[in-house]
Amino acid sequence: MAYELKQVFASLPQMERGVAKVLGGDPKGNNFLYTNGKTVIIRNIENPAIADIYTEHAHQVNVAKYSPSGFYIASGDITGKIRIWDTTQKEHLLKYEYTPISGKIKDIAWTEDSKRMAIVGEGREKFGAVFLWDSGSSVGEISGHSKVINSVDIRQKRPYRLATGSDDTCGSFYEGPPFKFKFTIRDHSQFVNCVRFSPDGARFATAGADGMIFIFDGATGERVGSLGEDKAHKGGIYAVSWSPDSSQLISASGDKTVKLWDVGAGTAVTTFNMGSDVSDLQLGCLWQKDHLLSISLSGYINYLDKNNPDRPIRTVKGHSKSIQCLTVHKNEGRTYIYSGIFYHLLLQLSSLIFASHYWDAETGENDCFSGKGHSNQVSKMVTTDAGELVTCSMDDTLRYTNIGKKEYSASDVVKMDFQPKSVSAAVGGLSLAVCIGQIVLLKDKKKVFTLDNFGYEAEVGVIHPGGTTAAVGGADGKVHLYSIQGNTLKDEGQTLDGDGPITDMAYSNDGAYLATIDEKKVARVYSVADSYSVKNDFYGHHAKPVSLAWSPDNEHFATGGMDMMVYVWTVSDPDQRIKLPDCHRLHHVSGLAWINEHTLVTTSHDASVKQWTITY
């Protein structure tokens, strides 16, 4: 029995309004880098569906940059820790670790020989440091600023020069090594957000919240010009990136545009209009080989088209926030995965789905559900035989969404009296919603029966595939069975004992078994035909399991927990199990689903979706 990671659908960058996002580029031009939460995401620039995730930071990581050699990546977190790790091995072994400042690291730069590096950010006693990569020994100092430093870059040829940009509205210019402060650049009237040397070292550019871009001589630091007539952009500028030949650069702005500049002439060759919504603010950019990338506040990664500036060649979408739940549906021979997250919710992966997106599981191509979805976190989702996705949300509604149409329907929304925690569906248009203090039976998208004052706190409910029984798991550590008679739920007085409050439960697809997990870390399978007698107990999780899913073979089921573990269990033999440790390292598993009996999908608060091949 074994498992293997088959595919990763990576999260988008984690974005914050008014905060620049630094994109790292691989010197060979194949990959690009960004961060989300505690993870660094490496994506193939030609095919961004190919991704790798580095998960060794214990705190939120802010920026990552390749060494010019391409063999190492340096990543910096909010505590001031920098990790330098190998890119050539799958394990990404740690080479060195330093804590050069005592606060958030905002930018990183290397010298062209990959031997020295500079970091800047929010330290308490200093805002930056420059040191040897292999010993951490200082090679100069980054002084001359009175507030947080946002950006740093080093000229990629000798004699080395270093430039910084800060919230104190100034830039600074340094010569070295050892790097010494030379003078202050006082051209900007607002925060300086980005400073970048051209690849040939002849120039460097500074960009600020004042909408200005200034160009300086790379060797002397003298100002040689500015871009645009009055201002470069109507809004603040968050990032610039030079063309490989050093003749042009792109700039990303809060005015929702990216501009392509002829630096020699000081004029904009092209303006890319990225939209009119607040989510279209442009907070980062990268020019790599022929690819021009920008990042929107939404987290979407845009591949810009010089020939059609109002329409990107492609937009990479996905989740940038914690994923809460997941389900799978087969449609016309293809499997779709749906997952629900905070905010506007649903993603489809075609063969896999997230927050209003659907993805192709083979290629990773994706697009969005259209229309207005839930206004709050989706807590549970299921699909029906009729091809509908049923979701329940903290906005106190159930929604029925036609999977084929890929759009939210304004009419198929059922308002609940109380917040729903769980939803289940079965044949004949039946669905069951477990709300705080109420259990609701629905038929054909209409409430037909409600149960109140039932004497325990209901946590999760499931309908037997045959539509005859509803099982409700409670905080009292019991499963309460109700028979579905016509349009009513009848309490048959039968309860099943769990070991602790029930966290999730599911019937096998053929209806032969009911599996439960509880806060006491026990998974239990009941045999339905045998009056729900206990078939087997399964032990292994060291922390609360929160998600359970049956394999289509009805002989195996998976559980995932707060211990970051996933187990695949064999119903007939509790010792026959597959343990997937650290599926989503440092993040607990929030959702599980099966595409087929050998492919398990996991999702997590790291905002990524992974497919695993399971062999028995």
Side-chain angles (χ1 to χ4, degrees):
M1 297 175 79
Y3 68 92
E4 185 183 5
L5 182 61
K6 181 181 176 187
Q7 201 155 16
V8 175
F9 291 92
S11 62
L12 293 177
Q14 191 169 1
M15 307 301 288
E16 197 181 326
R17 189 166 180 182
V19 179
K21 191 72 185 177
V22 179
L23 281 174
D26 150 26
K28 298 183 181 67
N30 300 327
N31 298 325
F32 65 100
L33 286 176
Y34 56 81
T35 62
N36 182 317
K38 299 174 190 172
T39 61
V40 178
I41 292 103
I42 307 168
R43 294 186 91 153
N44 181 294
I45 203 158
E46 297 285 348
N47 179 7
I50 300 170
D52 191 5
I53 303 178
Y54 178 78
T55 55
E56 298 298 315
H57 277 274
H59 299 278
Q60 184 180 326
V61 56
N62 234 34
V63 56
K65 290 273 187 80
Y66 273 93
S67 64
S69 68
F71 296 142
Y72 295 97
I73 288 169
S75 49
D77 72 20
I78 58 170
T79 68
K81 182 171 282 183
I82 190 125
R83 293 178 71 91
I84 301 168
W85 39 280
D86 179 277
T87 60
T88 59
Q89 309 291 318
K90 209 168 63 180
E91 294 74 31
H92 299 309
L93 297 173
L94 180 69
K95 185 79 174 169
Y96 302 108
E97 184 176 66
Y98 307 112
T99 310
I101 59 174
S102 55
K104 181 193 289 185
I105 294 177
K106 297 196 74 171
D107 203 6
I108 298 169
W110 295 75
T111 52
E112 43 75 40
D113 58 5
S114 301
K115 289 185 176 157
R116 300 169 193 81
M117 59 197 313
I119 62 96
V120 297
E122 283 183 11
R124 279 194 288 276
E125 55 293 317
K126 57 180 181 176
F127 300 113
V130 54
F131 52 90
L132 291 172
W133 87 292
D134 56 358
S135 67
S137 307
S138 174
V139 280
E141 65 173 357
I142 294 180
S143 56
H145 287 292
S146 59
K147 287 188 179 164
V148 50
I149 302 177
N150 296 315
S151 187
V152 63
D153 203 18
I154 296 174
R155 185 177 191 232
Q156 294 296 293
K157 62 185 278 194
R158 291 176 184 273
Y160 291 148
R161 300 289 184 261
L162 185 150
T164 54
S166 163
D167 271 8
D168 63 12
T169 76
C170 297
S172 293
F173 188 73
Y174 308 77
E175 293 181 353
F179 289 95
K180 290 191 181 68
F181 172 79
K182 271 313 215 208
F183 54 81
T184 299
I185 296 167
R186 302 186 189 277
D187 298 84
H188 289 280
S189 60
Q190 290 264 352
F191 301 162
V192 184
N193 288 324
C194 188
V195 43
R196 292 290 180 257
F197 279 90
S198 59
D200 65 6
R203 301 272 186 267
F204 70 92
T206 63
D210 53 7
M212 305 295 285
I213 299 173
F214 296 107
I215 306 295
F216 300 85
D217 184 282
T220 66
E222 281 175 61
R223 179 172 152 185
V224 294
S226 63
L227 301 184
E229 288 178 9
D230 177 22
K231 286 184 167 185
H233 283 272
K234 294 192 187 76
I237 302 166
Y238 291 99
V240 295
S241 186
W242 289 83
S243 62
D245 70 359
S246 301
S247 70
Q248 296 178 311
L249 62 77
I250 52 173
S251 56
S253 169
D255 65 9
K256 308 182 183 84
T257 68
V258 174
K259 290 187 179 180
L260 169 60
W261 300 90
D262 176 328
V263 177
T267 54
V269 180
T270 310
T271 298
F272 303 91
N273 293 301
M274 304 308 297
S276 55
D277 195 72
V278 67
S279 63
D280 299 317
L281 299 174
Q282 299 300 298
L283 296 175
C285 59
L286 178 69
W287 191 322
Q288 181 127 310
K289 284 190 179 165
D290 301 332
H291 299 287
L292 279 63
L293 269 56
S294 78
I295 299 194
S296 304
L297 176 58
S298 60
Y300 289 178
I301 302 162
N302 311 295
Y303 283 64
L304 306 177
D305 186 349
K306 291 184 205 173
N307 303 317
N308 186 1
D310 293 337
R311 183 152 185 186
I313 297 166
R314 69 167 357 143
T315 300
V316 178
K317 300 175 185 178
H319 283 300
S320 61
K321 295 196 169 63
S322 168
I323 303 174
Q324 291 299 108
C325 50
L326 173 78
T327 188
V328 164
H329 183 71
K330 283 196 166 56
N331 188 12
E332 295 173 4
R334 303 205 61 151
T335 306
Y336 291 84
I337 297 171
Y338 301 78
S339 57
I341 61 163
F342 291 123
Y343 311 124
H344 8 270
L345 295 171
L346 278 174
L347 271 173
Q348 175 169 345
L349 303 149
S350 145
S351 318
L352 296 178
I353 300 191
F354 316 105
S356 31
H357 297 47
Y358 44 98
W359 303 46
D360 186 304
E362 299 305 316
T363 65
E365 294 294 323
N366 65 77
D367 208 340
C368 298
F369 268 42
S370 56
K372 190 173 183 306
H374 285 289
S375 59
N376 204 326
Q377 177 181 325
V378 170
S379 33
K380 198 90 175 184
M381 51 171 55
V382 290
T383 53
T384 68
D385 294 343
E388 284 188 312
L389 188 67
V390 190
T391 51
C392 73
S393 160
M394 285 180 165
D395 64 10
D396 296 353
T397 64
L398 254 59
R399 274 182 176 271
Y400 294 82
T401 307
N402 182 308
I403 287 169
K405 288 188 180 161
K406 300 184 174 63
E407 86 178 292
Y408 295 113
S409 154
S411 57
D412 293 335
V413 181
V414 182
K415 182 85 180 81
M416 294 283 140
D417 301 333
F418 301 97
Q419 185 177 304
K421 301 196 239 188
S422 164
V423 66
S424 172
V427 293
L430 286 174
S431 33
L432 181 77
V434 170
C435 305
I436 295 172
Q438 193 176 64
I439 299 169
V440 184
L441 183 68
L442 299 98
K443 182 154 188 182
D444 300 330
K445 308 177 199 173
K446 290 183 178 57
K447 292 185 197 177
V448 292
F449 189 79
T450 57
L451 203 57
D452 300 276
N453 308 319
F454 37 82
Y456 63 94
E457 191 184 333
E459 293 291 342
V460 55
V462 289
I463 304 180
H464 186 274
T468 53
T469 307
V472 178
D476 59 357
K478 291 181 164 51
V479 176
H480 302 258
L481 298 176
Y482 299 86
S483 60
I484 299 173
Q485 299 181 357
N487 289 343
T488 62
L489 290 173
K490 186 161 182 287
D491 186 349
E492 295 292 348
Q494 187 181 0
T495 59
L496 314 174
D497 290 334
D499 283 33
I502 308 295
T503 57
D504 200 10
M505 55 200 281
Y507 279 103
S508 57
N509 305 287
D510 61 2
Y513 300 113
L514 173 67
T516 64
I517 46 177
D518 63 41
E519 287 192 12
K520 291 282 194 274
K521 309 185 275 289
V522 180
R524 181 163 292 163
V525 172
Y526 302 90
S527 179
V528 173
D530 199 7
S531 305
Y532 287 88
S533 62
V534 175
K535 170 84 172 166
N536 268 316
D537 284 349
F538 304 84
Y539 300 93
H541 284 288
H542 342 292
K544 178 170 80 172
V546 292
S547 179
L548 182 154
W550 279 93
S551 164
D553 67 11
N554 301 306
E555 291 169 19
H556 299 90
F557 67 101
T559 59
M562 305 289 267
D563 53 5
M564 303 167 217
M565 299 279 187
V566 170
Y567 284 95
V568 178
W569 307 99
T570 306
V571 172
S572 55
D573 182 359
D575 297 330
Q576 282 277 80
R577 63 184 195 182
I578 301 173
K579 177 177 166 184
L580 287 68
D582 274 351
C583 270
H584 295 262
R585 189 169 157 74
L586 301 174
H587 297 83
H588 77 258
V589 177
S590 57
L592 298 167
W594 295 81
I595 289 182
N596 55 49
E597 52 198 67
H598 293 294
T599 311
L600 176 66
V601 184
T602 63
T603 183
S604 156
H605 293 273
D606 66 2
S608 70
V609 175
K610 297 184 179 183
Q611 289 187 56
W612 305 84
T613 302
I614 307 292
T615 47
Y616 305 113

